Amino acid sequence: MRRPADLRPAFAVSLPLVSALAATAVLLTACGTEHAAAGRTDARASAFRDGTRIDDPGKDGVRITSLTLPPASPSPTRDSVSADELTTGSDSGASAAYEVTNDGTEAWTYSVVFTFVSGDGGAVANQTETVRDVGPGQTVRGTVRAGRLPPTAPRVTGAKVFQVTKVPAGEAPAGPDTCPASGIRVSADKGDAAMGLRVVGLHLDNCGKRAYTVEGYPLLELLDDALRPVDGVRILHGSGGITTGAGPDERPRPVTLNPGESATAALVWRNTTESGTPVNVPYVRVRAKEGAEPVTVTPHLDLGTTGKLGVRPWEKAERRPCPDRTCQGSG
């Protein structure tokens, strides 16, 4: 699986390098929503039954079944657009109904990137949907909206399934409103990219009832698109072997997280391509420490021909307010 060059969004992670890179990164609109598989049609899908039915072959078990588009209207003039609309845009009114079908023999959690396109086929907005726990032989339906678009964006005329990734349901990152039985939630952000340097943040949240201690580096297993181990890539402790722009490599220290606290680490690499065959690693199986339950994330490492990946140690993150009640959800 090769990572499309025009799909990489940029979000800041807690590294000095990332803050500098974020100002120069370019991204399409990309929001994420989640659906739990329960053998039923998503309730929102009924709101779009009047959408135009389309015959979409789909990709990897995901297809668009109908499309709802607003009627064409004249382009707004500057005099007719408020300052707030110029900044935030307005909802496009475009949406697509979709279905996810699992033809396999085990449950999967899917992450799907849908692209809304204009009349010339150009991408107007990317939206990511997470569909959890789709069992063998099960079909789950839902809808995805193009969302808010700036007034200067071209009119949406279509949608397509751009990218599908799936991981075993038991290894999928927990949603932000749930807490695993372990009391520890592991996830990866969307990363930051500029001038061939890539940084993806790993996040470790203590959503349980007891303190949790890690020391050193996350344990990583690199996997290909069939979830098989990838050979020939050196995993380096620290980012110094990749770049000097991320600051000095700090010595790993014990990090104790009380309930509601978090730690961060980072994956750092370059996608330089010289002689040889470029290596792409769509999946990384992460363990917070020895003996921890594995979580498979999808950072899509485009390692080029460099043959190496740097990982920075866990360090305590600035405490954030708990957005839900899962900070004391398990233990």
Side-chain angles (χ1 to χ4, degrees):
M1 180 183 296
R2 293 182 181 271
R3 180 181 180 86
D6 62 343
L7 190 62
R8 181 174 293 277
F11 292 87
V13 294
S14 57
L15 291 171
L17 169 66
V18 177
S19 298
L21 292 176
T24 61
V26 177
L27 68 157
L28 293 170
T29 303
C31 299
T33 48
E34 299 194 11
H35 302 286
R40 63 180 185 275
T41 299
D42 188 291
R44 294 181 300 167
S46 61
F48 299 92
R49 286 176 183 161
D50 295 332
T52 302
R53 302 292 298 179
I54 59 176
D55 185 16
D56 174 29
K59 181 181 294 185
D60 297 333
V62 183
R63 70 185 189 98
I64 294 173
T65 57
S66 69
L67 189 65
T68 298
L69 301 175
S73 59
S75 298
T77 64
R78 192 171 186 84
D79 292 339
S80 67
V81 178
S82 68
D84 181 64
E85 288 175 324
L86 283 171
T87 302
T88 63
S90 58
D91 193 287
S92 68
S95 63
Y98 65 87
E99 63 183 27
V100 179
T101 301
N102 181 359
D103 292 328
T105 58
E106 63 177 308
W108 297 92
T109 287
Y110 293 74
S111 180
V112 186
V113 178
F114 295 93
T115 298
F116 289 87
V117 299
S118 60
D120 63 1
V124 179
N126 285 348
Q127 299 290 0
T128 301
E129 296 275 302
T130 300
V131 185
R132 295 184 176 278
D133 303 327
V134 183
Q138 189 175 26
T139 295
V140 176
R141 298 176 177 88
T143 57
V144 56
R145 302 183 65 86
R148 298 178 71 87
L149 301 175
T152 55
R155 179 173 178 264
V156 173
T157 62
K160 62 183 180 180
V161 178
F162 190 88
Q163 184 183 64
V164 179
T165 53
K166 61 182 182 179
V167 300
E171 292 187 13
D177 57 348
T178 60
C179 187
S182 64
I184 296 300
R185 194 163 46 216
V186 176
S187 62
D189 60 33
K190 297 297 184 180
D192 203 349
M195 299 176 64
L197 181 64
R198 315 292 202 222
V199 180
V200 164
L202 298 178
H203 302 267
L204 175 63
D205 303 317
N206 185 349
C207 55
K209 297 180 179 179
R210 297 189 292 269
Y212 189 83
T213 300
V214 290
E215 182 177 2
Y217 302 88
L219 304 179
L220 310 177
E221 185 180 2
L222 308 185
L223 306 174
D224 65 13
D225 54 6
L227 297 173
R228 298 170 302 201
V230 174
D231 298 322
V233 177
R234 290 181 298 152
I235 298 177
L236 310 178
H237 284 173
S239 59
I242 308 295
T243 179
T244 58
D249 288 326
E250 299 292 338
R251 182 175 61 84
R253 297 179 175 84
V255 176
T256 298
L257 303 177
N258 293 315
E261 293 184 328
S262 301
T264 60
L267 308 180
V268 184
W269 74 97
R270 291 191 179 277
N271 72 333
T272 306
T273 300
E274 296 176 347
S275 61
T277 303
V279 174
N280 293 288
V281 179
Y283 301 96
V284 178
R285 183 173 286 132
V286 180
R287 288 178 171 82
K289 63 180 181 180
E290 193 70 44
E293 292 295 320
V295 175
T296 299
V297 298
T298 55
H300 296 279
L301 309 178
D302 54 343
L303 299 174
T305 55
T306 61
K308 56 187 179 181
L309 171 70
V311 55
R312 293 174 67 94
W314 292 117
E315 58 183 38
K316 184 172 286 191
E318 215 174 291
R319 181 155 188 166
R320 302 166 296 177
C322 184
D324 47 52
R325 297 185 179 182
T326 62
C327 294
Q328 288 80 38
S330 295

